């Protein structure tokens, strides 16, 4: 399959966060962006999935700037 296989979903990110595997906010942001990028690449541009991921991405970017 074409998925980049570092992280595939938010629950995996949650597990990594709880396990202390993210040493920096930048590492966390990279995994989050991977999820968004995969969603956009593998779903129709007008789909609910893409619209929701773009909304979540915008909110995430606003929050990550505070860190």
């Amino acid at each position: 399959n074409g998925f980049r296989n570092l992280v595939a979903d938010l629950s995996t990110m949650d597990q990594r966060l709880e396990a202390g595997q993210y040493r920096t906010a930048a590492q966390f942001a990279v995994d989050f962006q991977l999820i968004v990028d995969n969603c956009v690449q593998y779903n129709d541009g007008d789909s609910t999935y893409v619209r929701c991921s773009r909304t979540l991405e915008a909110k995430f970017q606003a929050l990550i700037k505070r860190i």
Side-chain angles (χ1 to χ4, degrees):
N1 73 39
F3 281 98
R4 292 182 283 175
N5 55 8
L6 300 175
V7 67
D9 57 57
L10 294 174
S11 65
T12 301
M13 284 186 68
D14 182 51
Q15 291 170 0
R16 288 180 176 184
L17 186 61
E18 292 297 320
Q21 292 179 344
Y22 294 111
R23 295 182 184 260
T24 67
Q27 290 174 328
F28 185 84
V30 165
D31 276 356
F32 178 83
Q33 192 61 53
L34 175 64
I35 293 169
V36 172
D37 292 347
N38 281 338
C39 180
V40 170
Q41 183 173 352
Y42 293 100
N43 292 285
D44 182 59
D46 292 333
S47 72
T48 300
Y49 300 114
V50 171
R51 287 194 309 270
C52 287
S53 71
R54 289 299 192 197
T55 299
L56 189 59
E57 178 184 33
K59 292 181 185 297
F60 178 82
Q61 293 301 328
L63 290 171
I64 200 77
K65 287 179 183 178
R66 297 181 187 176
I67 295 176

